[in-house]
Amino acid sequence: MVRLSKSAGIILVLIIGFLVQLLFSFADSIDTPSKAVVQFSKAYFNLDKSMAKRICKERLASEDVDVIDQYIYLAAKEAKERGFGINFMKNKLYHIETEAISKKDNEAQIRITGKIRVSINPVYPIVAKLFNIGATHEVEEIINVIKEDGKWKVCGNLFSLPVT
């Protein structure tokens, strides 16, 4: 039987760990309709402008209105009317589940379900859950996804995003 020294065993474990990490990073880089819906939804509820990366050109196209800026402006306006800052309107989406209702080569329908909770700052959802403060709300939506320029992008009615 071949005996390996301690350093050879450690090096072998590190090499295997590196290869597994490469495998996981490759698997994570594959674009899917569900991944597009989840990334859009998280950005949408967090009032993050990065949601525009996952919206189809047709939905973003407008002569004079930026749909994303309008949505964030309306959220800020509502927060101000309530006497709060815009951070009060941010929500964290969690317990996310997706289900492909239909899928073709260049289009799909994805049902997303989950829960949202106010996320004033990154720690707030954890504290709110720990002390059972703040309400959670159920989210269930069917979102149309199309393949555009080699990436999956959401299209159609997107939660309460203003219609152009």
Side-chain angles (χ1 to χ4, degrees), residues 114-133:
K115 295 181 181 183
I116 57 171
R117 183 185 294 263
V118 173
S119 178
I120 298 168
N121 62 45
V123 178
Y124 183 80
I126 298 167
V127 172
K129 188 171 184 174
L130 201 68
F131 293 104
N132 200 24
I133 57 175

Side-chain angles (χ1 to χ4, degrees), residues 28-41 54-55 96-112 141-148 150-155 158:
D28 189 44
S29 68
I30 297 171
D31 195 30
T32 64
S34 294
K35 185 176 180 180
V37 169
V38 169
Q39 285 179 348
F40 166 77
S41 300
R54 285 297 190 169
I55 299 177
I96 304 165
E97 292 183 18
T98 59
E99 173 190 357
I101 295 175
S102 68
K103 184 177 178 191
K104 297 177 186 167
D105 289 341
N106 292 325
E107 59 184 55
Q109 273 192 326
I110 305 293
R111 173 182 286 127
I112 183 168
E141 191 82 18
I142 296 176
I143 298 180
N144 295 321
V145 187
I146 63 169
K147 199 164 199 174
E148 191 174 87
K151 289 194 69 124
W152 287 99
K153 299 197 176 190
V154 297
C155 221
L158 311 171

Side-chain angles (χ1 to χ4, degrees), residues 15-34:
I15 291 172
I16 291 172
F18 178 73
L19 292 174
V20 169
Q21 186 64 33
L22 275 176
L23 180 68
F24 286 147
S25 65
F26 176 73
D28 189 44
S29 68
I30 297 171
D31 195 30
T32 64
S34 294

